[in-house]
Amino acid sequence: MQEKKMEVPPDNSSGNEYEQFTWQQKVGLSMKTPIGLFGIGSTTVCITLTVLGLLGHITGLISNPYAAIVTFLVFPAGAVFGLFLIPVSGYLRHKKWFRDNLNKGNVVIDFGKKNHRKTVLLVLVLTVVNLSVFSLVIYEAYHFTESDFFCGAICHTVMDPEYTAYQRSPHAKVGCVSCHIGSGAEWYVKAKLSGLRQVKAVLDGSYSTPIPAPVEHLRPAQDTCEECHWPEKFHGKKIKKFISYSNDDQEQPYIQEIALHIGGRNPVTDTFEGIHWHVSNNVKVQYQSLDDKRTSIGRIKVSKPSGVTEEYTIDGADDGQGGKWRTMDCIDCHNRPTHVYDTLEQKVDFGLYSKKIDGTIPGIREDSITVLEKEFTSRDEAREQIVETLLALMAKRHDADFVAEHEESLISSGKYLLDAYLANVWPQMKVTWGTYKQHLGHQYEDEGYGCFRCHDEEHQTEFGKTISQSCDLCHDEPL
Ligand code: HEC
Ligand code: HEC
Ligand code: HEC
Ligand code: HEC
Ligand code: HEC
């Protein structure tokens, strides 16, 4: 302490009032403007809160994801803003000093002086501490913005349909980002940029309802799906059971079992066969869609391993203007691998099959369908009315005694219908039964979905060859 005082004698040579301050006082003073003090205060408070928040998240004491927004985005932003204000304050103050003719030599750092070294060291240490905190924050923030919660729940109203369907899908444990972003910095940046546009759309309410499908700029499946599933792995047949009922027979299910030739390498010919042939090595199927939904296909170009290329066209195909070309990948069949919505009848039939809907009550299948087809203005309205509506419809069909006797099972059937509704319909997002249809198979053939977009025996090569619709190309005849 002694030494320091002696080392820095006040220098009054220019006669300026600021000159009498020591170097350290000047450094200190340059921050002591309202702007500088605000900066210091805001940095200190925000850094402390960030560190506390970080500790909370790392130890698991804080698990509320909304707190994560504050910890990883709001507090660090406050700290950075504060840090930014400190040099601004110094700059303004020094400008004033220079204007007042301060001797420049006085604010220069002189490493020969111990207190200068000490101050510089302090600044360095503080900077290292800040940088460490910030890199931890950036690391955690990166993971947070990749979390399913961030993607699925922050913009709750908008993403609720996709998030709900995702949570009950086979991919419920696969992060949104594995399919929507994949690995690598390029797509991360693209995703964050489009994320910013989406945040803006949510804030000013300009997002589309429903969110349009297909997703135009989805990353090609080679970089996403194929990280976990690869075409060489598919082999043999997959048996699928389709269970349905009719209004006339609510108790005896009609079961169709079909074997799908999902494909694989044929050891005899060493070629790839079956359904996954389209995405096998050395095969490239490209198609030109005439609409944004990819439901109307003009031309199809196939490059085969043998080097042969074939092109199929249909009457009315675009002459090459307008229609968009796309290389077929997983998404052209599996467009709903995780955002899987049920069809209304499937859901009712599943209720009957699992006995959640009491099939012994005559007319319940037809009335259940009527209930689910009804348009409610909101999910809350559906919550209030679905069970009541089923009871009311049943009261028209049966006498009061019958309804009273079966009340319990009607109420539990009604609750099943409500759950089915809530899992598939969001009036606010204009998402309802059938809004998002799938391409796997041909149940939506009339609306241009599925395999029969190409396998229609109508697209032809110049030699008149068509793409087969023969049932046994894809499956063994239904039993
Ligand atoms: C298994 C892969 C996969 C996962 C995991 C996944 N998605 Fe998707 N998602 C897709 C595909 C494929 C599409 C494109 C559908 C299309 O183009 O028709 C899509 C489409 C969407 C759409 C557009 C609307 C629609 O239904 O087509 C939104 C929104 C969306 N996903 C959000 C999410 C969110 C949020 C998560 C995580 C909670 C998530 N996705 C997880 C594959 C996935
Ligand atoms: C991070 C790994 C991962 C990624 C990425 C991924 N999947 Fe999957 N997929 C899985 C797992 C795990 C299962 C569940 C396997 C099971 O339950 O037997 C699965 C199951 C499936 C199934 C079978 C579903 C069923 O009903 O049995 C299909 C089809 C599928 N995935 C397609 C896709 C498509 C298309 C994409 C890209 C859009 C994709 N997957 C991306 C891991 C992944
Ligand atoms: C031409 C349409 C088509 C394309 C393209 C396609 N698939 Fe499939 N895939 C099917 C059909 C049809 C099934 C059987 C039906 C089912 O599982 O529901 C199937 C089944 C699967 C299964 C389940 C297999 C099993 O043994 O249960 C997985 C996983 C899968 N596909 C992943 C993929 C991936 C990944 C890609 C892209 C590399 C892809 N598929 C491309 C039509 C296709
Ligand atoms: C974009 C057009 C397109 C769509 C959509 C499409 N296919 Fe194909 N598919 C083709 C073409 C082209 C061929 C080859 C025809 C030929 O060379 O004879 C083919 C061939 C096949 C083959 C025979 C492969 C072999 O050589 O062993 C099967 C099986 C098949 N498709 C199943 C399906 C199924 C199942 C779907 C729907 C889930 C589907 N395809 C959707 C265009 C399409
Ligand atoms: C290009 C391939 C392809 C052709 C050709 C084809 N199917 Fe299918 N079919 C499928 C696929 C894929 C599914 C499974 C859909 C799913 O997994 O949900 C399916 C499902 C079915 C189902 C059960 C689901 C439903 O929609 O009711 C029946 C029944 C059926 N096919 C009948 C036929 C008959 C009959 C023919 C011949 C006229 C035929 N299919 C031709 C691919 C094909």
Side-chain angles (χ1 to χ4, degrees):
M1 289 308 258
Q2 277 287 315
E3 198 187 1
K4 214 195 297 180
K5 269 182 199 152
M6 285 164 50
E7 208 186 326
V8 196
D11 173 10
N12 271 326
S13 51
S14 73
N16 186 296
E17 58 172 304
Y18 294 108
E19 299 297 303
Q20 57 196 292
F21 297 124
T22 63
W23 185 83
Q24 270 172 327
Q25 280 170 323
K26 279 177 196 144
V27 171
L29 270 177
S30 66
M31 295 194 256
K32 275 186 202 143
T33 65
I35 297 185
L37 288 178
F38 180 77
I40 294 173
S42 138
T43 304
T44 316
V45 172
C46 288
I47 287 258
T48 314
L49 290 174
T50 307
V51 170
L52 288 179
L54 261 180
L55 288 178
H57 282 279
I58 291 169
T59 56
L61 279 176
I62 304 179
S63 59
N64 181 343
Y66 291 99
I69 304 184
V70 180
T71 306
F72 300 130
L73 304 174
V74 179
F75 290 157
V80 169
F81 181 63
L83 277 181
F84 167 75
L85 289 181
I86 295 172
V88 168
S89 151
Y91 173 76
L92 293 177
R93 171 84 17 136
H94 281 161
K95 239 172 99 177
K96 182 168 161 34
W97 284 344
F98 285 138
R99 242 195 345 263
D100 295 350
N101 262 337
L102 175 78
N103 175 1
K104 283 189 189 180
N106 281 309
V107 280
V108 159
I109 298 166
D110 178 357
F111 282 105
K113 294 185 177 151
K114 194 171 174 198
N115 61 338
H116 286 210
R117 287 201 301 273
K118 264 189 176 170
T119 313
V120 170
L121 194 68
L122 183 71
V123 169
L124 278 180
V125 169
L126 280 178
T127 308
V128 169
V129 169
N130 279 347
L131 284 181
S132 323
V133 171
F134 278 121
S135 42
L136 251 179
V137 166
I138 289 171
Y139 178 80
E140 288 289 331
Y142 169 82
H143 281 284
F144 176 62
T145 60
E146 297 275 271
S147 70
D148 305 333
F149 178 86
F150 184 82
C151 307
I154 298 270
C155 311
H156 186 76
T157 318
V158 184
M159 288 290 161
D160 202 28
E162 281 75 24
Y163 193 45
T164 306
Y166 157 87
Q167 285 170 312
R168 59 170 185 249
S169 83
H171 291 108
K173 288 274 182 315
V174 173
C176 315
V177 292
S178 320
C179 297
H180 285 280
I181 306 180
S183 54
E186 184 196 342
W187 282 85
Y188 180 78
V189 173
K190 277 191 195 175
K192 291 298 136 183
L193 290 179
S194 89
L196 285 180
R197 280 197 300 276
Q198 288 160 17
V199 168
K200 177 191 163 288
V202 170
L203 291 180
D204 66 14
S206 65
Y207 54 86
S208 334
T209 53
I211 299 177
V215 175
E216 204 186 332
H217 299 294
L218 198 70
R219 186 166 182 181
Q222 287 87 328
D223 300 338
T224 54
C225 318
E226 290 188 23
E227 297 272 306
C228 299
H229 307 279
W230 49 101
E232 285 71 22
K233 202 190 64 177
F234 301 112
H235 56 85
K237 295 182 181 180
K238 177 172 182 178
I239 311 276
K240 272 192 117 172
K241 255 190 196 174
F242 295 83
I243 296 160
S244 57
Y245 292 83
S246 66
N247 289 347
D248 299 331
D249 190 347
Q250 300 181 150
E251 293 192 65
Q252 213 43 51
Y254 172 59
I255 300 182
Q256 267 180 326
E257 224 171 58
I258 56 169
L260 292 158
H261 307 157
I262 55 175
R265 190 170 292 279
N266 180 328
V268 181
T269 59
D270 200 34
T271 51
F272 205 95
E273 291 173 346
I275 295 175
H276 289 96
W277 164 85
H278 310 74
V279 286
S280 59
N281 278 342
N282 307 321
V283 168
K284 192 168 172 187
V285 180
Q286 290 165 288
Y287 68 88
Q288 185 194 34
S289 54
L290 303 177
D291 61 354
D292 292 344
K293 292 239 163 235
R294 302 182 190 146
T295 47
S296 166
I297 290 178
R299 294 160 190 272
I300 302 145
K301 225 188 294 182
V302 182
S303 322
K304 298 195 171 176
S306 56
V308 177
T309 304
E310 288 174 323
E311 184 164 330
Y312 300 83
T313 52
I314 194 166
D315 289 348
D318 195 281
D319 305 326
Q321 314 120 14
K324 269 197 196 132
W325 281 94
R326 177 181 155 82
T327 302
M328 194 169 177
D329 70 17
C330 318
I331 304 308
D332 292 291
C333 301
H334 297 283
N335 62 329
R336 304 268 128 222
T338 196
H339 311 295
V340 198
Y341 302 97
D342 309 294
T343 69
L344 196 159
E345 292 206 8
Q346 264 170 13
K347 204 62 197 170
V348 169
D349 287 347
F350 182 74
L352 289 166
Y353 190 67
S354 59
K355 308 247 182 289
K356 297 262 171 58
I357 296 179
D358 186 349
T360 62
I361 302 176
I364 196 162
R365 183 176 187 274
E366 194 180 353
D367 287 353
S368 296
I369 292 174
T370 313
V371 169
L372 291 183
E373 277 172 347
K374 195 170 169 212
E375 280 184 28
F376 299 97
T377 56
S378 67
R379 286 162 66 84
D380 280 338
E381 190 182 284
R383 282 191 188 93
E384 280 161 21
Q385 296 186 7
I386 281 192
V387 177
E388 297 302 315
T389 313
L390 181 67
L391 287 171
L393 286 168
M394 280 284 144
K396 280 192 201 154
R397 215 180 259 277
H398 302 287
D399 60 36
D401 286 348
F402 182 92
V403 173
E405 198 182 311
H406 292 83
E407 193 176 359
E408 200 182 319
S409 103
L410 283 173
I411 289 178
S412 72
S413 304
K415 285 193 176 138
Y416 170 83
L417 294 179
L418 173 59
D419 287 342
Y421 176 95
L422 293 177
N424 288 282
V425 185
W426 286 263
Q428 221 183 330
M429 286 304 294
K430 301 202 176 68
V431 172
T432 184
W433 303 99
T435 301
Y436 293 112
K437 300 185 185 66
Q438 64 158 346
H439 285 307
L440 210 67
H442 41 83
Q443 76 264 51
Y444 294 116
E445 138 187 44
D446 298 342
E447 285 137 300
Y449 284 82
C451 316
F452 292 0
R453 288 176 295 166
C454 301
H455 289 264
D456 59 356
E457 312 268 1
E458 282 175 24
H459 290 79
Q460 296 189 359
T461 63
E462 52 183 325
F463 305 111
K465 186 184 167 203
T466 58
I467 306 173
S468 170
Q469 199 176 89
S470 123
C471 316
D472 60 7
L473 178 73
C474 305
H475 43 76
D476 298 348
E477 296 283 341
L479 301 177

